[in-house]
Amino acid sequence: LSLSAMLQLPVMVILAAFSTKLAVKFGKRECGIAGMLLSGILYVVIGLLHVENVWVYIGLIFFAMIGMSFFSMQCYALVTDVIDDKEVKTGKRDDGTIYGVYSFSRKIGQALAGGMSGWALAFIGYDELAVAQTEQVAKGIYNISTFFPGIVYLLGAAVLFFIYPLSKERVESNVAELEKRH
């Protein structure tokens, strides 16, 4: 886990160099969808392959995390697009309120994620007092660590695609409208 996390640092540095250029060319929402699809598909594939070699597993997870890292870089820019969209619609710029709701939502999500990991371990039969876990628990942990993020990333991509309305075209239209107003 530590090695996998450490490998993400150079990925973030490399992605930072390309992230903005790709977002300008294709759109932030569109880049977020691509990143989540990449991660979601790879996590599901890793789950289906049921990789037993730890080094192959780390390598595959490394590539799956590239998509998530790319999406993470787009998140804060999506917030500014929401702020601009609200200003276009209402004439008011509510930076603090919108960012506050975003920040609070992240905190709720992080709290739920922490609780869900404990609930998931209990669900698969993990025994914290056991000297060794059963094969069923080991398979359960593998499935939770691959299929769960895979499904969540695919659902996230679907939400961005079907629900989040700020496509590249709409963001550009909002920017042009705000430039006229200011």
Side-chain angles (χ1 to χ4, degrees), residues 41-62 64 117 120-121 123-126 133-151:
I41 291 167
L42 285 174
Y43 269 109
V44 169
V45 167
I46 295 164
L48 292 172
L49 292 175
H50 200 76
V51 177
E52 293 188 17
N53 182 305
V54 70
W55 299 110
V56 172
Y57 180 83
I58 288 173
L60 292 171
I61 292 295
F62 170 79
S117 61
L121 287 172
F123 179 76
I124 61 169
Y126 181 84
Q133 300 298 321
T134 65
E135 184 66 27
Q136 177 185 347
V137 170
K139 286 180 183 179
I141 290 172
Y142 186 90
N143 289 336
I144 289 170
S145 66
T146 56
F147 289 116
F148 183 75
I151 291 166

Side-chain angles (χ1 to χ4, degrees), residues 1-10 54-55 57-59 61-62 65:
L1 187 59
S2 297
L3 177 62
S4 181
M6 190 173 70
L7 289 173
Q8 288 308 306
L9 190 58
V54 70
W55 299 110
Y57 180 83
I58 288 173
I61 292 295
F62 170 79
M65 293 296 288

